[in-house]
Amino acid sequence: MTSQFVPVISSTGLFTPEESISNEELVASYNAYADKYNAEHPDAEPLIHSSVEFIEKASGIKSRHVVDKASVLDPDIMCPRLEERPNEQVSVMAEIGVKAANAALAAAGREAGAVDAVLCAASNMQRAYPAMAVEIQAELGMEEGFAFDMNVACSSATFGIQTAADYVRSGSAKSVLVVSPEITSGHLNWRDRDSHFIFGDVATAVLVEEISIAPKQHWEILGTNLKTQFSNNIRNNFGFLNRTHGGIEQDSPDTDKLFIQEGRKVFKEVVPMVAQMILDHAERLGLKGEELRRLWLHQANAGMNRLIAQRVLGHEASEDESPTVLDTYANTSSAGSIIAFHKHSEDLAAGDTGLICSFGAGYSAGSVFVRKAG
Ligand code: CO8
């Protein structure tokens, strides 16, 4: 039986930190660290320099936004330094999440008081509890409703969109904010040559609402689909039980309590898995790949997106068909496909169909087919 309640995307919001690090600046910092390490550890395996050319060719990334540039680039620190805040002050992740949420609310002309639920869907949470989502709910001034955190790594936002759409379909909410603050610079090992270039900081928000209250300019949600399949190839073993193991060295260059991955394996395994998932989902919805006007894919690697888009569309995708924001944002985990959608969707015409798709650790993947109303 189909529901009488129809979920749509009313609007999106984006918050971008002001500071940005170019590949040139990043590589100079890493190389200074490597030179210092090699001088201080003459008997150890020497660290090899990183390279601007490699980073751009292997990933498509040219720069990334961060919340604290100076400390990340300081070869003696190589980690953002954010002052601990008292409990009475809003946490930094909730703060940037609220900025993105307010942008989404303003775009839809919606008062926060009319929102029923906030899902904070991100790869890393500020703390175990109270939930960031509840803090965001309070900061927005919502006196009613409910909020909770959910983490599906890079796929958090699409998992959040399906969860929000299901709440709307079931009648338990009419207006749901999916907020994705990502301070990935906090969990990136800036001393690891293989991955120091990959991530950036940002926050996004998606407002999912019942069609009867949505603005005229909205996106129909034609269908959502989620998939998970266990893999050890992308891990972050940071957790509350770390202290029970004895001795944590958060700043150690070989720590697995920060982001680690087998990037090659991820590339090879995730491309076919995601392309097939999209095609199967499209078929179930009676859609053909070549009918899709635009793909807003997860922003991890330009080469991955090129291959996935080609398999889905049946031809090499143009920048117009599969836009990238990797060059200036890098991988922002769950926020990537939402940034692409936010920045590259206004020009589409009523009736155009597109796909928001994320993939990442877990493995996890989510597809959301949308059609512009109007
Ligand atoms: N500079 C110069 N050379 C380098 C560098 C560098 N920085 N790094 C590696 N190289 C060299 C290697 O040493 C190697 O040399 P050789 O051939 O002589 O051995 C050569 O370059 C090739 O190395 P790789 O095989 O590693 O390079 P790839 O071409 O595979 O590119 C990538 C590496 C870019 C990492 C690529 O594999 C990739 O993008 N893979 C997919 C990654 C991906 O999608 N990951 C998903 C992660 S997102 C997620 O879900 C996690 C969420 C958590 C986010 C929060 C944490 C911060």
Side-chain angles (χ1 to χ4, degrees):
M1 199 177 77
T2 46
S3 163
Q4 56 177 318
F5 300 118
V6 177
V8 303
I9 293 177
S10 286
S11 63
T12 53
L14 171 67
F15 168 74
T16 305
E18 265 174 38
E19 294 186 331
S20 167
I21 298 177
S22 69
N23 284 345
E24 287 75 11
E25 291 169 314
L26 187 76
V27 166
S29 154
Y30 178 88
N31 291 349
Y33 157 73
D35 291 345
K36 192 162 176 256
Y37 177 91
N38 292 340
E40 288 170 0
H41 301 83
D43 298 329
E45 175 92 18
L47 296 180
I48 308 168
H49 276 188
S50 182
S51 111
V52 170
E53 296 69 34
F54 169 83
I55 294 170
E56 196 174 332
K57 188 159 175 275
S59 68
I61 296 164
K62 294 181 186 164
S63 61
R64 70 284 295 141
H65 290 272
V66 288
V67 291
D68 179 16
K69 176 173 178 171
S71 303
V72 163
L73 287 182
D74 183 336
D76 292 325
I77 305 176
M78 297 181 88
C79 172
R81 285 280 183 252
L82 304 173
E83 214 168 294
E84 194 170 359
R85 296 182 177 189
N87 290 352
E88 294 68 36
Q89 193 181 347
V90 64
S91 67
V92 64
M93 289 193 71
E95 183 176 85
I96 66 169
V98 165
K99 287 180 179 170
N102 274 328
L105 292 174
R110 178 80 57 242
E111 292 295 327
V115 176
D116 302 310
V118 177
L119 313 186
C120 182
S123 303
N124 290 289
M125 299 301 164
Q126 180 83 34
R127 54 178 179 261
Y129 45 83
M132 266 186 338
V134 180
E135 195 183 4
I136 292 170
Q137 176 192 21
E139 285 294 314
L140 288 173
M142 290 167 57
E143 285 170 10
E144 304 284 336
F146 64 94
F148 62 90
D149 292 349
M150 54 186 289
N151 179 350
V152 202
C154 289
S155 297
S156 300
T158 52
F159 276 61
I161 290 172
Q162 172 162 321
T163 307
D166 285 346
Y167 281 143
V168 170
R169 270 186 213 107
S170 71
S172 43
K174 273 198 182 319
S175 178
V176 185
L177 265 172
V178 180
V179 186
S180 301
E182 292 285 9
I183 303 190
T184 65
S185 59
H187 260 186
L188 176 58
N189 186 350
W190 296 91
R191 295 188 173 124
D192 174 33
R193 175 176 174 264
D194 286 348
S195 64
H196 75 119
F197 54 89
I198 293 182
F199 289 100
D201 300 337
V202 83
T204 56
V206 180
L207 185 63
V208 177
E209 299 192 308
E210 212 280 314
I211 194 165
S212 61
I213 64 161
K216 190 167 170 282
Q217 293 288 322
H218 63 256
W219 292 82
E220 286 174 56
I221 298 175
L222 303 178
T224 57
N225 181 56
L226 310 177
K227 181 182 171 77
T228 50
Q229 186 180 301
F230 189 74
S231 167
N232 275 320
N233 290 334
I234 314 170
R235 280 194 81 108
N236 178 336
N237 287 332
F238 181 78
F240 79 105
L241 289 180
N242 292 158
R243 65 193 286 265
T244 68
H245 307 151
I248 318 171
E249 286 185 62
Q250 291 300 330
D251 287 342
S252 159
D254 58 359
T255 183
D256 70 342
K257 308 301 181 293
L258 300 171
F259 167 85
I260 50 169
Q261 73 164 352
E262 297 273 353
R264 260 296 150 92
K265 286 190 188 158
V266 175
F267 195 113
K268 279 203 183 124
E269 292 172 8
V270 168
V271 167
M273 181 185 104
V274 169
Q276 198 54 51
M277 179 192 82
I278 295 169
L279 290 170
D280 290 347
H281 188 198
E283 195 180 331
R284 289 200 299 281
L285 294 171
L287 297 167
K288 289 199 171 59
E290 61 265 26
E291 291 166 1
L292 297 174
R293 175 66 187 81
R294 191 164 288 163
L295 308 178
W296 300 281
L297 297 178
H298 175 51
Q299 304 285 314
N301 179 293
M304 283 176 103
N305 285 8
R306 207 160 32 245
L307 289 171
I308 292 171
Q310 177 152 21
R311 287 189 197 190
V312 171
L313 299 175
H315 61 262
E316 174 120 15
S318 64
E319 178 64 23
D320 182 65
E321 290 171 313
S322 176
T324 179
V325 299
L326 269 169
D327 50 348
T328 52
Y329 281 88
N331 183 343
T332 51
S333 195
S334 66
S337 56
I338 306 302
I339 306 173
F341 179 66
H342 178 86
K343 285 187 165 279
H344 300 284
S345 54
E346 238 178 64
D347 59 315
L348 264 54
D352 280 345
T353 303
L355 168 75
I356 301 169
C357 179
S358 65
F359 38 89
Y363 295 135
S364 58
S367 50
V368 180
F369 283 93
V370 292
R371 180 168 293 150
K372 192 160 190 172

